Amino acid sequence: MNQNAAVVKTMPDAQTVTSVQHWTDRLFSFRVTRPQSLRFRSGEFVMIGLLDERGKPIMRAYSIASPNWDEELEFYSIKVPDGPLTSRLQHIQPGDQIILRPKPVGTLVLDALLPGKRIWFLATGTGLAPFASLMRDPDTYERYEQVIMMHTCREASELEYGRQLVESLKDDPLIGEMVGDKLLYYPTTTREASDRMGRITDNLTSGKVFTDLGIPQMNMEEDRAMVCGSLQFNIDVKNVLESFGLREGANSEPLEYVVEKAFVGDGI
Ligand code: FAD
Ligand code: A2P
């Protein structure tokens, strides 16, 4: 246990790290104890953090990657070398403490969409996190006949957390049967050669993903979508979805798609 963690333990809202897995030099996932009182809807985010050397909390938004039935909470994180939080967070170990404010919020919730036939989860990088939760929620499979997970990264190694998660769902004793063959996984790389390549925007616009999966072109009657990536990715995907006739909804006004930023950056 590191020194920083020992200090945090005296703070309210401290939770204990139970496991950590490093996927690449820029990506890791970890699990923490769940506050007994915490209820959340799959797809929501909370504020988590650590104390700096002066004892001041450094808090950041994090999507909960685990489903709402899980006893623990899982997070999927970037490592920004000089990032105020993740330059430290990347060194956490089981037994360490983090701060977790138990106030979940967010737009990527099933209630913000009208009923439909198919739901599309469109993510780049750590934007997969809210969908790691939603892909494990029985409600997703009760509401939709098909669930399509498009995840795009530069290199294949960055897809590995999502790939293993999807793979594990088939044999999951709790939801394996519900998932069945309803979940269609469509991972692509853009900079490293792999079986499937290309940006999500390009694969939607060209119609390649519809052909590959043997499903009709996206349309407002049957298709619903959730988007999570960089600001520019979100803007570009929104334009593609609107070109298929889908409209942006919200908790207060459910429509055909919803969007959330995976991070705030690049001066925005
Ligand atoms: P910061 O000062 O916060 O960021 C420094 C720079 O790093 C940013 O300007 C940006 O260019 C880049 N950056 C930050 N986060 C990312 C990222 N995730 N992917 C690529 N580049 C990034 N981050 C996660 O890792 N997992 C999550 O589940 C997650 N959920 C979020 C949900 C919401 C609603 C928002 C707004 C952000 C979320 N983030 C998530 C980003 C997170 O809040 C922090 O920005 C991130 O942990 C880095 O913190 P930092 O203090 O080290 O660096
Ligand atoms: P590309 O390699 O063509 O830029 P990043 O690592 O820069 O955050 O990008 C993560 C993934 O998202 C990469 O595969 C990248 O493709 C893709 N991407 C970045 N910006 C956009 C965008 N505006 N529209 C579609 N895909 C994007």
Side-chain angles (χ1 to χ4, degrees):
M1 197 189 291
N2 65 42
Q3 245 183 353
N4 183 288
V7 181
V8 178
K9 202 171 184 179
T10 61
M11 300 268 302
D13 296 337
Q15 297 299 325
T16 305
V17 177
T18 58
S19 63
V20 183
Q21 189 162 359
H22 292 269
W23 298 92
T24 71
D25 58 356
R26 291 189 66 238
L27 294 166
F28 71 116
S29 60
F30 58 96
R31 292 173 69 86
V32 302
T33 51
R34 177 174 175 169
Q36 271 192 341
S37 61
L38 177 65
R39 298 279 171 276
F40 66 96
R41 294 185 289 174
S42 297
E44 288 185 317
F45 66 89
V46 287
M47 301 301 291
I48 68 169
L50 293 171
L51 296 182
D52 68 12
E53 50 287 312
R54 292 179 189 167
K56 194 171 156 273
I58 314 167
M59 305 300 293
R60 293 287 184 273
Y62 266 81
S63 296
I64 302 173
S66 46
N68 52 24
W69 48 261
D70 201 326
E71 279 174 17
E72 295 181 337
L73 296 175
E74 185 172 307
F75 297 98
Y76 180 49
S77 180
I78 192 82
K79 303 175 197 176
V80 183
D82 54 355
L85 179 63
T86 58
S87 61
R88 299 156 190 266
L89 191 68
Q90 63 180 290
H91 301 297
I92 54 166
Q93 287 169 19
D96 287 351
Q97 311 275 319
I98 65 158
I99 307 164
L100 189 150
R101 306 267 188 247
K103 293 195 181 67
V105 286
T107 53
L108 302 179
V109 291
L110 294 172
D111 288 340
L113 295 173
L114 293 173
K117 186 170 181 180
R118 287 177 291 271
I119 186 160
W120 295 76
F121 296 149
L122 308 175
T124 58
T126 60
L128 179 85
F131 307 128
S133 177
L134 283 154
M135 278 194 285
R136 293 186 268 190
D137 187 337
D139 219 15
T140 303
Y141 302 93
E142 268 160 22
R143 293 189 193 209
Y144 297 96
E145 287 175 30
Q146 285 182 312
V147 179
I148 302 140
M149 179 73 244
M150 292 184 83
H151 186 209
T152 297
C153 295
R154 296 179 180 201
E155 295 169 13
S157 61
E158 299 168 295
L159 295 166
E160 199 54 19
Y161 169 78
R163 198 191 64 73
Q164 288 191 23
L165 190 147
V166 169
E167 186 67 23
S168 73
L169 287 181
K170 287 186 210 132
D171 304 320
D172 189 294
L174 272 170
I175 60 157
E177 220 165 286
M178 292 197 82
V179 176
D181 51 14
K182 282 184 158 188
L183 178 62
L184 305 175
Y185 178 49
Y186 199 92
T188 60
T189 57
T190 49
R191 307 215 183 174
E192 183 188 359
S194 71
D195 292 350
R196 284 224 167 104
M197 295 193 63
R199 286 182 161 201
I200 287 173
T201 40
D202 294 339
N203 285 323
L204 285 169
T205 315
S206 68
K208 185 174 188 306
V209 60
F210 310 123
T211 311
D212 286 350
L213 297 178
I215 54 181
Q217 179 176 289
M218 201 180 267
N219 62 83
M220 77 177 289
E221 286 75 30
E222 297 176 307
D223 293 283
R224 306 292 172 254
M226 292 189 179
V227 185
C228 192
S230 65
L231 183 75
Q232 193 56 52
F233 171 77
N234 290 358
I235 291 170
D236 292 348
V237 175
K238 275 169 76 155
N239 286 333
V240 174
L241 297 180
E242 303 263 344
S243 77
F244 290 127
L246 280 65
R247 297 161 301 168
E248 184 168 6
N251 258 297
S252 51
E253 194 194 0
L255 285 169
E256 291 92 23
Y257 77 88
V258 279
V259 174
E260 195 150 82
K261 280 198 284 279
F263 59 90
V264 181
D266 309 322
I268 300 156

